[in-house]
Amino acid sequence: MNSGIKIIKCDRANVLQTSPLRPDEKTIQPSQREIAGTIKNWIADLAQRRRADELTARTRFLAATHS
């Protein structure tokens, strides 16, 4: 899946330097990666649904004009 969307992370280096992690805390990177993947999947699903709807509309239009 290669969408043309790029997610920009704001000043992540500063956040990591100012707030030290405890050993039991989850790192930020895996959760951000998961969120980015979810959003990209939503966008891909929306685009696929839009293409399917356009195909259905064209098919109905052509069927109505040729009847």
Side-chain angles (χ1 to χ4, degrees):
M1 174 182 71
N2 187 5
S3 62
I5 297 171
K6 181 178 180 181
I7 297 177
I8 300 172
K9 300 173 187 171
C10 298
D11 210 9
R12 187 179 73 163
N14 244 356
V15 172
L16 292 176
Q17 290 174 358
T18 58
S19 61
L21 294 175
R22 294 188 322 240
D24 61 339
E25 281 185 301
K26 186 178 176 183
T27 61
I28 295 173
Q29 191 173 10
S31 62
Q32 288 178 342
R33 203 176 286 143
E34 184 179 320
I35 292 169
T38 301
I39 292 171
K40 286 183 179 183
N41 285 337
W42 287 347
I43 293 169
D45 290 344
L46 179 64
Q48 184 179 12
R49 192 174 342 133
R50 187 175 293 150
R51 285 190 299 269
D53 289 346
E54 287 175 2
L55 180 63
T56 303
R58 285 184 191 143
T59 304
R60 287 182 182 171
F61 176 75
L62 291 175
T65 57
H66 291 298
S67 295

